[in-house]
Amino acid sequence: AFFNPIDDCDEVYNFYEPLHKLMYEHGFQTWEYSPLFALRSYAYLVLHWIPISFVPSSFKLIAFYLLRVCLALICAVCEAFFFRAIDKQLNNSIARNYALLSIFNVALFRSSSAFINNSFSMYTVLFAYTCWFSNVLPLSVFFIAFGSLCGWIYVAVLGVPIAIDILFRRQRYWDFIKWSFISGMITIIPSTLIDSYYYGQLVIAPLNHIRYNIFSKHGPTLYGTDPWTYYIANGLLNFNLIYPLGILGIFLAPFIDIFVDRRYVQSGKASIPHTLIVSSIVLWMGLLWMQPHKEDRFVFPIYPLIILAASICIEQFENFIPRLVRLIKLKRDYVLLLRSLFVYSIVIVHGLLSISRTVAIIDGYSAPIRLLTHSNSTQAFKLEENRHLNVCIGKDWYRFPSHYLLPQNSKLSFLRSEFRGQLPKAYSQEKNATRLRESHFNDANKEQVDRYINLNECDYIIDHDSENPSELEPNYSKQSEIVTSMRMILPSKGSILRSFYVPLLSDRSNRYTFLHLLKFSKHFRI
């Protein structure tokens, strides 16, 4: 909660900023929150407003970190229950492997405290699969419905294995229909009422989201496309050693069900096939690979399931060790030693690589949060009574960590840069701001020039020293007073020492710059 950087500007502009508007009456609005499109749900924001609703605007920084702490705690609770459910449904060995691998895993570190619907979906999937493994089927159906209708509609795909289990293995057709209907109504009615209130019109946000992503002429490809190898590289960075083990675990699952598993003899239909469990990963990754626009956060909902698949694979190798000992004619006393050596070697290597990756992320990308947290807590901003400060940002607009980290009487404004896409727009100050059907938004990511202000209107500037300054993207530190600075990594070609932090070597190999908070003087001219 305190060290995790914000990876994606979507988290800021589509979640923190509109929540800031609801709480403190100002913030940025993206086109997705315009009533013209209504792709995002205010009900999701209200849900996160509840635990921090008592925090006054003079303590916004506390609200920011308190929300992240709440999210991290919820994720920890989800993981703990999931661990117990694995122990109950599969066995103690797989549950132990899952716990040891997940504790240091960098993917869970990054996703656990992120205020984004992909992380929320991960929590609900964890709860849904926990209930499924524990044979609490009505709640399993509910959490899939809750995660998809309130969080991210595509998470419904991860409910397919649960539906297959209930409908075809257990043959509880009427129960499934009843549970699905009740769960859907419990979720969709309040969320539709809340969204319709804020938008000032009838809005069912999940349907609008599907309509835009599948049926519109633009779709998400406007924001870039990536090769099919994207998720392979992403998986190796997030899971390192256990990513190939997770893939192998998927392929081993049918073999385990046919030749190895003996749980059916003991518990019958209460025992879920391994193949059905890991099929969720195949379904989800198949869906993601079909999309030309790829992002790391799209994989968030199945992060714990990938670790579970790897844990299943490790357990099968463990079980093979006694046969190997007999084959090479070693003493039986070596079995326990070799099993422990095998498991803990994987855990230690995975843990060290994950910690190295985590430190690399914190070291290279946490400068924006650290800069404004430090500036806010040390009162680096010189506030004036009855006047708002204009804090400006240009080429670093996507690094802004939200108004929660700015002082009470300040607002962020954009300076023009080389970026030619559509930037967010400040919400109107009118009481019905969320309902205004303004024409200053488009769904084609076309630049809107009304977003920018003149440099002379700025009191402070957030800017980094670039190696290649230009007329629109100068290094403002040359013309301003540096208030405070934080080191951050410069964009460059990927390397091992950039992706994984190695003391001394990474500092020498990587290229760094400084992100500054600058006090701008109107006497300077660019």
Side-chain angles (χ1 to χ4, degrees):
F2 289 97
F3 294 101
N4 191 12
I6 293 177
D7 291 335
D8 196 322
C9 61
D10 236 21
E11 183 177 350
V12 173
Y13 294 116
N14 273 326
F15 299 98
Y16 275 114
E17 284 299 299
L19 179 61
H20 190 276
K21 167 63 180 176
L22 298 186
M23 292 182 68
Y24 304 124
E25 299 183 352
H26 74 273
F28 281 116
Q29 179 183 20
T30 65
W31 69 271
E32 295 169 69
Y33 280 95
S34 167
L36 296 171
F37 307 103
L39 265 63
R40 297 288 180 179
S41 172
Y42 280 100
Y44 175 79
L45 300 177
V46 170
L47 196 65
H48 293 76
W49 185 359
I50 295 169
I52 59 172
S53 57
F54 63 91
V55 182
S57 59
S58 53
F59 294 97
K60 293 192 299 178
L61 189 65
I62 293 175
F64 175 82
Y65 283 107
L66 179 60
L67 177 58
R68 286 163 71 93
V69 167
C70 290
L71 294 174
L73 283 172
I74 290 169
C75 186
V77 169
C78 293
E79 288 186 72
F81 277 111
F82 189 54
F83 160 75
R84 294 296 298 273
I86 294 169
D87 186 18
K88 181 178 179 180
Q89 176 61 226
L90 299 173
N91 60 52
N92 178 262
S93 177
I94 295 174
R96 177 209 61 200
N97 294 341
Y98 174 83
L100 293 172
L101 294 173
S102 63
I103 286 171
F104 295 109
N105 182 255
V106 63
L108 291 178
F109 165 79
R110 293 173 54 243
S111 58
S112 60
S113 62
F115 176 33
I116 200 163
N117 59 344
N118 312 90
S119 288
F120 177 82
S121 299
M122 183 181 75
Y123 310 153
T124 58
V125 167
L126 275 169
F127 272 133
Y129 277 61
T130 295
C131 295
W132 183 27
F133 290 0
S134 304
N135 209 32
V136 188
L137 300 178
L139 279 181
S140 180
V141 173
F142 168 77
F143 280 114
I144 290 294
F146 187 49
S148 55
L149 295 175
C150 190
W152 197 22
I153 186 62
Y154 308 106
V155 169
V157 171
L158 294 176
V160 170
I162 299 173
I164 291 172
D165 182 52
I166 296 172
L167 290 171
F168 299 105
R169 288 188 61 252
R170 304 174 193 261
Q171 298 182 347
R172 300 179 66 175
Y173 311 110
W174 170 244
D175 286 339
F176 178 74
I177 294 170
K178 179 178 66 177
W179 297 335
S180 299
F181 178 79
I182 293 172
S183 300
M185 290 300 102
I186 288 174
T187 305
I188 200 68
I189 290 175
S191 63
T192 300
L193 290 173
I194 293 170
D195 289 338
S196 299
Y197 168 77
Y198 279 105
Y199 282 113
Q201 62 193 39
L202 178 63
V203 167
I204 303 175
L207 293 182
N208 291 347
H209 206 275
I210 291 173
R211 187 168 64 238
Y212 172 76
N213 282 286
I214 297 178
F215 301 108
S216 77
K217 61 181 180 181
H218 303 302
T221 53
L222 277 172
Y223 303 96
T225 59
D226 294 280
W228 67 271
T229 55
Y230 177 88
Y231 288 121
I232 296 175
N234 175 265
L236 291 171
L237 284 174
N238 282 320
F239 297 96
N240 53 73
L241 182 67
I242 65 171
Y243 191 61
L245 292 176
I247 295 172
L248 188 57
I250 294 170
F251 286 102
L252 282 175
F255 171 81
I256 297 168
D257 290 330
I258 296 170
F259 300 107
V260 179
D261 197 15
R262 291 289 179 268
R263 292 173 302 144
Y264 290 101
V265 177
Q266 302 167 1
S267 57
K269 288 186 177 179
S271 184
I272 304 167
H274 292 75
T275 307
L276 200 55
I277 294 170
V278 300
S279 67
S280 55
I281 302 174
V282 178
L283 287 169
W284 190 253
M285 293 310 300
L287 177 67
L288 295 190
W289 255 309
M290 287 191 299
Q291 308 305 314
H293 177 65
K294 298 174 177 63
E295 290 190 40
D296 175 31
R297 61 190 176 92
F298 294 167
V299 195
F300 281 14
I302 62 164
Y303 276 171
L305 300 178
I306 293 172
I307 298 175
L308 175 59
S311 302
I312 292 171
C313 177
I314 292 169
E315 194 247 359
Q316 290 306 304
F317 283 129
E318 275 188 87
N319 294 339
F320 180 72
I321 287 175
R323 299 179 186 180
L324 182 65
V325 168
R326 288 196 300 270
L327 187 67
I328 59 179
K329 298 180 180 179
L330 290 174
K331 293 180 181 180
R332 287 188 178 181
D333 298 343
Y334 284 100
V335 171
L336 185 60
L337 175 64
L338 289 174
R339 289 182 71 158
S340 299
L341 187 63
F342 172 73
V343 173
Y344 289 107
S345 296
I346 292 174
V347 169
I348 290 170
V349 172
H350 170 259
L352 289 174
L353 288 172
S354 290
I355 291 170
S356 174
R357 174 67 178 158
T358 301
V359 173
I361 290 170
I362 295 170
D363 177 65
Y365 301 99
S366 64
I369 286 182
R370 289 188 290 115
L371 179 79
L372 291 184
T373 298
H374 173 77
S375 302
N376 210 334
S377 57
T378 58
Q379 298 181 338
F381 291 98
K382 304 301 180 185
L383 301 175
E384 300 177 23
E385 288 187 16
N386 303 319
R387 181 179 176 272
H388 278 88
L389 291 180
N390 263 337
V391 181
C392 299
I393 198 164
K395 59 181 178 281
D396 295 290
W397 64 270
Y398 57 92
R399 293 189 171 102
F400 177 59
S402 87
H403 273 94
Y404 282 96
L405 279 76
L406 290 182
Q408 184 177 0
N409 293 323
S410 61
K411 292 183 179 179
L412 189 82
S413 300
F414 295 117
L415 295 169
R416 193 162 198 189
S417 65
E418 304 288 355
F419 178 69
R420 288 296 170 266
Q422 179 179 205
L423 289 172
K425 179 180 172 64
Y427 273 99
S428 167
Q429 293 302 301
E430 296 182 32
K431 289 185 177 180
N432 64 338
T434 60
R435 300 182 178 190
L436 296 178
R437 300 173 65 87
E438 295 191 31
S439 59
H440 301 289
F441 290 104
N442 66 80
D443 64 348
N445 198 26
K446 293 180 180 177
E447 184 182 25
Q448 297 285 340
V449 295
D450 66 322
R451 305 295 198 261
Y452 309 114
I453 70 165
N454 189 284
L455 179 63
N456 288 328
E457 297 178 57
C458 300
D459 296 299
Y460 290 88
I461 301 174
I462 299 168
D463 190 60
H464 81 271
D465 289 334
S466 170
E467 293 180 320
N468 301 299
S470 64
E471 184 179 352
L472 285 175
E473 295 184 352
N475 290 333
Y476 290 108
S477 61
K478 306 299 182 185
Q479 294 89 15
S480 307
E481 175 191 345
I482 297 176
V483 178
T484 186
S485 304
M486 293 290 171
R487 190 181 78 158
M488 73 175 196
I489 200 165
L490 275 170
S492 63
K493 290 183 179 179
S495 70
I496 291 294
L497 293 176
R498 177 185 172 87
S499 300
F500 296 91
Y501 185 82
V502 179
L504 301 179
L505 296 180
S506 290
D507 290 330
R508 292 175 186 172
S509 171
N510 295 327
R511 292 159 46 240
Y512 292 92
T513 186
F514 285 94
L515 183 68
H516 305 291
L517 175 66
L518 307 168
K519 185 169 175 55
F520 181 71
S521 172
K522 304 199 172 35
H523 298 295
F524 287 112
R525 291 290 181 270
I526 304 300

